[in-house]
Amino acid sequence: MAHQKEATNRVEWKIRVADGSSKDLVPESGPAGRAWLGIQGLIAGLVLKVGRCFKKAWDLAVDDPRKVIHCLKVGTALTVVSLFYYTRPLYEGLGRNAMWGVMTAVVVFENTVGATLSKSLNRACGTLLAGSLAVGVHWIASQSGEKLEPFVNGASVFLLASAATFSRFIPTVRTRFDYGALVFILTFSLISISGYRVEKLLKMAHQRLSTIAIGGFMCILISILVCPIWAGKELHLLITRNMDKLAYSLDEYFNNSGIPVEKSQGYKCVLNSKAAEETMANFARWEPAHGHFKFKHPWRQYLKVGASMRRCAYCIEALNGCINSENQVPESIKQHLSGNCLRLGSVSSSVIRELAITMRTMKKSPRTQNLLKEMKNSVQELHNELGSLPNLLLPPPSIEATLPLEEVIPIATVASLLIEVAARIEGIVSATEELASLAKFKPAVERIAPH
Amino acid sequence: MAHQKEATNRVEWKIRVADGSSKDLVPESGPAGRAWLGIQGLIAGLVLKVGRCFKKAWDLAVDDPRKVIHCLKVGTALTVVSLFYYTRPLYEGLGRNAMWGVMTAVVVFENTVGATLSKSLNRACGTLLAGSLAVGVHWIASQSGEKLEPFVNGASVFLLASAATFSRFIPTVRTRFDYGALVFILTFSLISISGYRVEKLLKMAHQRLSTIAIGGFMCILISILVCPIWAGKELHLLITRNMDKLAYSLDEYFNNSGIPVEKSQGYKCVLNSKAAEETMANFARWEPAHGHFKFKHPWRQYLKVGASMRRCAYCIEALNGCINSENQVPESIKQHLSGNCLRLGSVSSSVIRELAITMRTMKKSPRTQNLLKEMKNSVQELHNELGSLPNLLLPPPSIEATLPLEEVIPIATVASLLIEVAARIEGIVSATEELASLAKFKPAVERIAPH
């Protein structure tokens, strides 16, 4: 914002300078002069805006070069398909249906392999289903006489389009076959209004399907062979990264070990990644085996792990609020509790970090259960510590010296919330362990020698 | 699940009965008989599945009849556009470009007016921009000789497709012009490979644009005139409903007034509505004035209100965890605190309810500030109460009778979290008041007589 303001100030300043000098030098500083200056200002503003836009785009490209690679892949796919049809012999053979190949390539090519596969298969199935239905209806319509024909056609379009549109509201269809339903409606109505005889229609259908198949196949090939981005792998990485971020957040609160603030705010990423996780899990189901992931990898379980992490993040967020409002706790109590809070915070983050290692190596870590036990012990110790606080509050000789309980409450709240965070971390552990057993992770080789 | 299991059991049972009887009556109970029974089972399973699917669809339709209306609207729009082109004279005139009208109608018609407008305008702008660029490039290519022509075409497709694909990663483009960029790529490549001469191309462009305009215009008209669903109004209702749900959740915790559990879990809706809010706010910006909403209604501020509500919901979620784990607090302390907790809980929910009324009536309520003051007083009282707890813990005569602090901690944690919830409610109030002033809500007429 500050940058933008400065820039517009500079423009205004330029305009004023120009305005001042024009009065001295050029006689025509009337409405025409002012309009000219206005246009100059507009152009300068536009140039600045475009410049900022390019800067943003550049940052985006540097931040994730795979995006640039994806763009080049799309460009290549389109050019290949275009040139394929541009060479005359093929072009003559397939006629104007060539455009369907290009259209398929444009619409179907997505960022991840799973999305491309999902769209291609949806397009193929939708086209086939609608095509065969439409040819049937077309035949019925052509048999029913010239007067009735438009009505039969109109009614069939109305009914099937309405039904297919409704199906898009059904959750299963919405998440997996939405594009197929759209293509179904499109193909059916296009064939219905085409007005061809059935024989010609069959020939056209054959041509169109083959071009669509070539276009789709080209996209799938390029998206798998050239620097593929797998939705499944991305989901796996996202969950692993989010675990690291949660661990960082906990560390920062209880260690103050100089981790920069942006990193400690990592739990906010966890709070907001639900939509991304669902999209990726949905696309991952379409993908073949790749890397360490088999075809029927339990992608749905990743959503459960993600949900358990979000539950933990809610609690850290509340903890964040309490820490920020905590200010008047006597230093003695803070120190008394902070030892145990520190220990619980650090062992909690170790548990999450160990889970992240399990995910990263795809091997069951033998240390997780030990760390979990350690965490439970820390929780018990913190409980005991909280119970022994009254002794601190009451210096033995006189009751009058009692510290008001109010001053203990904030730090006790933090401790309680930390205990709740630990309970939710157990949820993450069990979700991750279920994932490990579903995905048949192998046990890791012990990193420390047994003796 | 139980229902499903029962159904498959029934199928199995049927098969077994059929199997038993077939042995007695029909001689051919070999592999053929078993295959036939298998097929019967498959069909029965399929029929059950289809039946369940219809049941789901029916529930969906009963739950929100507007979805059915939307489907009928889509059907109508498509039928009208189809018949429009099916009548011979027009069909001959516009030739095969008629299909672009149908295609536009299928692709552009969305559930809300804003989405339909956004897609239509994106489609129109994308087509126009790509069309004029493509005609220019086409002319250059045709001037560069027969040998160079395919290369100029290929290079232009490659460069522009890559650039447009990249632009789709830029956040602003992604949220508002994603579909326009897609149409741009599509149109540009289609014209580039068309192989027409420029004169014929201009005629075709004119025809195609007019059919697209007619198709898009028809969709916009139907979507605005027949039972319109406005994204803006939906967003307004969503936020208002979520406020009610937050208030319900708070009530349930501290009143136990017999509100069913599903309602009290309403804060979970608030936690998960971020994506829906963003989509709707994005579409609402495209909508003209409707109902009580002017053209430049501050839709972005709704997102801020939504975010402040989510912050509050995080805290309620943590509170939920603490309440569920709270079990061993002595009844005396519970009663001692619960009066104030109850009061704060109830006044907090009143504040949110008042905000919901402000939203529903779109009038600034004069009671909000009073309730806010009341809430702050309650917070102060609860603070004081927490401070006076040691007196309870220490029956005057002997120190030995001290209750362990550990037993007080859970209820004190609940109280602290409730105080944090109250602080976050203040955030909702200020976000909503900013919305009220941005949207120029009028002050409500006082509902209680001044004397």
Side-chain angles (χ1 to χ4, degrees):
Chain A
M1 277 310 279
H3 187 74
Q4 190 176 345
K5 208 171 174 186
E6 193 196 321
T8 42
N9 278 348
R10 215 184 297 150
V11 174
E12 270 175 35
W13 178 79
K14 263 190 196 166
I15 295 169
R16 267 186 217 146
V17 168
D19 203 31
S21 64
S22 72
K23 266 180 192 157
D24 295 326
L25 299 172
V26 195
E28 60 268 335
S29 78
R34 248 174 274 149
W36 170 236
L37 290 169
I39 290 169
Q40 272 189 320
L42 268 180
I43 291 172
L46 204 72
V47 166
L48 272 170
K49 237 183 181 173
V50 170
R52 265 202 300 277
C53 204
F54 268 101
K55 178 80 181 57
K56 252 189 212 165
W58 179 256
D59 292 345
L60 212 67
V62 171
D63 191 49
D64 187 3
R66 291 189 310 170
K67 282 178 182 155
V68 181
I69 296 174
H70 169 67
C71 299
L72 299 181
K73 276 159 73 181
V74 173
T76 311
L78 256 179
T79 315
V80 171
V81 175
S82 298
L83 290 183
F84 190 67
Y85 292 116
Y86 201 80
T87 50
R88 294 287 156 171
L90 267 163
Y91 184 71
E92 310 273 285
L94 289 167
R96 299 173 64 161
N97 288 316
M99 58 166 274
W100 292 100
V102 177
M103 199 179 269
T104 304
V106 173
V107 177
V108 146
F109 210 126
E110 292 275 335
N111 198 12
T112 59
V113 177
T116 307
L117 275 171
S118 146
K119 274 205 153 178
S120 307
L121 294 178
N122 262 303
R123 190 172 181 96
C125 294
T127 307
L128 265 177
L129 201 65
S132 34
L133 249 175
V135 170
V137 170
H138 206 74
W139 183 81
I140 294 173
S142 66
Q143 298 293 309
S144 59
E146 210 167 291
K147 278 210 168 168
L148 271 176
E149 203 180 331
F151 291 101
V152 174
N153 269 324
S156 69
V157 167
F158 179 79
L159 282 178
L160 278 164
S162 300
T165 306
F166 187 78
S167 80
R168 293 174 74 191
F169 285 117
I170 299 170
T172 327
V173 179
R174 193 182 194 83
T175 47
R176 303 184 64 188
F177 308 112
D178 191 63
Y179 184 63
L182 187 76
V183 170
F184 176 88
I185 305 173
L186 185 63
T187 310
F188 187 84
S189 10
L190 282 188
I191 298 181
S192 283
I193 65 152
S194 69
Y196 290 119
R197 266 172 307 152
V198 172
E199 302 85 65
K200 205 179 169 192
L201 230 141
L202 285 175
K203 192 187 156 212
M204 197 181 75
H206 171 243
Q207 284 184 348
R208 196 168 288 184
L209 279 176
S210 64
T211 49
I212 289 182
I214 291 172
F217 194 67
M218 190 78 77
C219 287
I220 294 176
L221 220 64
I222 291 182
S223 106
I224 291 185
L225 294 182
V226 188
C227 306
I229 301 175
W230 301 95
K233 198 180 164 196
E234 293 299 305
L235 177 60
H236 189 89
L237 287 176
L238 176 70
I239 294 279
T240 312
R241 262 201 315 271
N242 277 351
M243 283 178 174
D244 281 333
K245 282 177 185 169
L246 267 189
Y248 263 128
S249 299
L250 279 172
D251 268 350
E252 212 272 337
Y253 285 141
F254 299 97
N255 281 350
N256 296 321
S257 55
I259 296 163
V261 179
E262 312 91 65
K263 276 198 174 163
S264 79
Q265 298 279 309
Y267 66 88
K268 287 192 181 160
C269 294
V270 182
L271 289 176
N272 294 330
S273 63
K274 187 170 188 260
E277 284 168 16
E278 278 172 0
T279 312
M280 280 191 240
N282 183 29
F283 287 141
R285 296 166 75 184
W286 297 85
E287 289 175 350
H290 59 277
H292 297 288
F293 310 105
K294 297 201 184 105
F295 175 53
K296 287 241 173 187
H297 197 75
W299 299 117
R300 283 178 156 274
Q301 185 63 26
Y302 282 81
L303 296 183
K304 286 188 192 162
V305 176
S308 68
M309 280 161 67
R310 249 187 308 288
R311 289 201 69 220
C312 185
Y314 295 150
C315 224
I316 295 182
E317 216 271 351
L319 188 63
N320 191 25
C322 292
I323 286 182
N324 288 346
S325 69
E326 165 228 323
N327 37 19
Q328 292 156 328
V329 184
E331 208 50 43
S332 62
I333 292 178
K334 231 179 191 168
Q335 276 170 1
H336 183 67
L337 258 180
S338 70
N340 266 318
C341 276
L342 248 163
R343 216 163 303 135
L344 180 50
S346 118
V347 72
S348 298
S349 84
S350 301
V351 172
I352 304 181
R353 234 180 271 281
E354 198 60 34
L355 291 180
I357 290 174
T358 302
M359 293 291 286
R360 204 170 285 120
T361 58
M362 297 187 76
K363 298 228 162 90
K364 279 181 199 165
S365 162
R367 289 184 61 211
T368 311
Q369 285 303 327
N370 292 340
L371 282 168
L372 199 63
K373 246 180 238 162
E374 219 175 289
M375 187 176 80
K376 281 179 186 167
N377 289 342
S378 283
V379 166
Q380 199 49 52
E381 272 169 33
L382 193 56
H383 260 306
N384 297 343
E385 188 102 12
L386 286 172
S388 71
L389 264 186
N391 304 332
L392 241 185
L393 297 178
L394 311 167
S398 67
I399 300 182
E400 282 75 42
T402 306
L403 278 173
L405 184 64
E406 195 191 354
E407 293 189 0
V408 195
I409 296 283
I411 196 78
T413 306
V414 170
S416 301
L417 275 176
L418 197 54
I419 291 171
E420 179 69 22
V421 167
R424 292 183 180 197
I425 287 176
E426 286 180 43
I428 308 180
V429 172
S430 67
T432 311
E433 287 192 334
E434 201 183 329
L435 174 64
S437 73
L438 283 173
K440 304 197 178 81
F441 286 5
K442 290 197 182 97
V445 181
E446 188 71 81
R447 271 162 288 174
I448 303 152
H451 297 290
Chain B
M1 275 313 279
H3 187 73
Q4 190 176 342
K5 207 170 173 184
E6 192 196 324
T8 43
N9 278 348
R10 214 182 298 150
V11 173
E12 271 174 33
W13 179 79
K14 264 188 195 164
I15 294 168
R16 267 188 217 144
V17 169
D19 204 29
S21 64
S22 73
K23 269 181 188 159
D24 294 327
L25 299 172
V26 196
E28 60 268 338
S29 77
R34 249 175 270 147
W36 169 237
L37 290 169
I39 290 170
Q40 270 189 322
L42 268 180
I43 291 175
L46 204 73
V47 166
L48 272 170
K49 235 182 181 173
V50 170
R52 266 202 300 278
C53 202
F54 268 102
K55 178 77 181 57
K56 251 190 212 164
W58 179 256
D59 291 346
L60 211 67
V62 170
D63 191 50
D64 187 2
R66 291 189 311 171
K67 282 180 181 154
V68 181
I69 296 174
H70 169 67
C71 298
L72 300 181
K73 276 158 73 179
V74 173
T76 311
L78 256 181
T79 315
V80 171
V81 174
S82 297
L83 290 184
F84 190 67
Y85 291 117
Y86 200 78
T87 51
R88 296 287 157 170
L90 267 162
Y91 185 71
E92 310 275 285
L94 288 168
R96 299 173 64 162
N97 288 316
M99 57 166 275
W100 292 101
V102 177
M103 198 179 271
T104 305
V106 173
V107 177
V108 144
F109 210 127
E110 292 275 335
N111 198 11
T112 59
V113 177
T116 308
L117 275 170
S118 147
K119 273 206 151 179
S120 307
L121 293 177
N122 261 304
R123 189 172 182 95
C125 294
T127 308
L128 265 177
L129 201 66
S132 34
L133 248 174
V135 171
V137 170
H138 206 74
W139 183 79
I140 293 173
S142 68
Q143 298 293 309
S144 59
E146 211 166 288
K147 279 210 168 167
L148 271 177
E149 204 179 329
F151 293 101
V152 174
N153 270 326
S156 69
V157 167
F158 180 79
L159 281 178
L160 278 163
S162 300
T165 305
F166 188 76
S167 80
R168 293 175 74 190
F169 286 118
I170 299 170
T172 328
V173 178
R174 192 180 195 84
T175 47
R176 301 184 65 189
F177 308 112
D178 190 65
Y179 184 63
L182 186 75
V183 169
F184 176 89
I185 303 173
L186 185 63
T187 310
F188 187 85
S189 9
L190 282 188
I191 298 180
S192 282
I193 65 151
S194 70
Y196 290 120
R197 266 173 305 153
V198 172
E199 303 86 67
K200 204 177 167 190
L201 224 124
L202 284 175
K203 193 187 154 212
M204 198 182 75
H206 171 243
Q207 284 183 349
R208 197 168 288 184
L209 279 176
S210 64
T211 49
I212 289 182
I214 291 172
F217 193 68
M218 189 78 77
C219 288
I220 294 176
L221 219 64
I222 291 181
S223 106
I224 291 186
L225 294 183
V226 187
C227 307
I229 301 175
W230 301 95
K233 198 179 164 196
E234 293 299 306
L235 176 61
H236 189 89
L237 286 175
L238 176 70
I239 294 279
T240 311
R241 260 199 316 270
N242 277 351
M243 283 177 173
D244 281 334
K245 282 176 185 168
L246 266 190
Y248 262 128
S249 301
L250 279 172
D251 268 351
E252 212 271 338
Y253 285 140
F254 298 98
N255 280 351
N256 295 323
S257 55
I259 296 163
V261 178
E262 312 90 65
K263 276 196 175 165
S264 79
Q265 298 280 310
Y267 66 88
K268 287 195 178 157
C269 294
V270 181
L271 288 176
N272 293 330
S273 63
K274 186 169 188 260
E277 283 168 17
E278 278 172 1
T279 312
M280 281 191 237
N282 182 29
F283 288 140
R285 296 165 76 185
W286 296 86
E287 289 176 350
H290 58 277
H292 295 287
F293 310 105
K294 296 200 186 107
F295 174 53
K296 288 244 173 185
H297 196 75
W299 298 117
R300 282 175 156 276
Q301 185 63 27
Y302 282 83
L303 297 182
K304 286 188 192 162
V305 176
S308 69
M309 281 161 66
R310 247 186 310 287
R311 290 200 68 221
C312 185
Y314 295 150
C315 223
I316 294 182
E317 215 271 350
L319 188 62
N320 191 26
C322 292
I323 286 184
N324 289 347
S325 68
E326 165 229 322
N327 37 19
Q328 291 157 327
V329 184
E331 209 48 46
S332 63
I333 293 178
K334 231 178 191 170
Q335 275 171 2
H336 183 67
L337 259 179
S338 71
N340 266 319
C341 275
L342 248 163
R343 215 163 303 135
L344 180 51
S346 117
V347 72
S348 298
S349 85
S350 302
V351 171
I352 304 181
R353 234 181 271 282
E354 198 61 33
L355 291 179
I357 291 173
T358 302
M359 293 291 286
R360 206 170 284 120
T361 57
M362 297 187 76
K363 298 226 163 93
K364 278 179 200 166
S365 161
R367 291 182 62 210
T368 310
Q369 285 303 325
N370 292 340
L371 282 168
L372 198 63
K373 246 180 239 161
E374 221 175 288
M375 187 175 79
K376 281 178 186 167
N377 288 342
S378 283
V379 167
Q380 198 50 53
E381 274 169 34
L382 193 57
H383 260 305
N384 296 344
E385 189 102 11
L386 286 173
S388 71
L389 265 187
N391 303 332
L392 240 186
L393 296 180
L394 310 168
S398 67
I399 301 181
E400 283 74 40
T402 306
L403 279 172
L405 185 64
E406 195 191 353
E407 294 190 358
V408 195
I409 296 281
I411 196 78
T413 306
V414 170
S416 301
L417 276 176
L418 197 54
I419 290 171
E420 180 69 20
V421 167
R424 292 183 181 197
I425 287 176
E426 285 180 44
I428 309 180
V429 172
S430 67
T432 310
E433 287 190 337
E434 202 183 329
L435 174 64
S437 73
L438 283 173
K440 302 195 179 83
F441 286 5
K442 286 193 184 104
V445 181
E446 188 70 82
R447 269 162 290 175
I448 304 149
H451 297 291

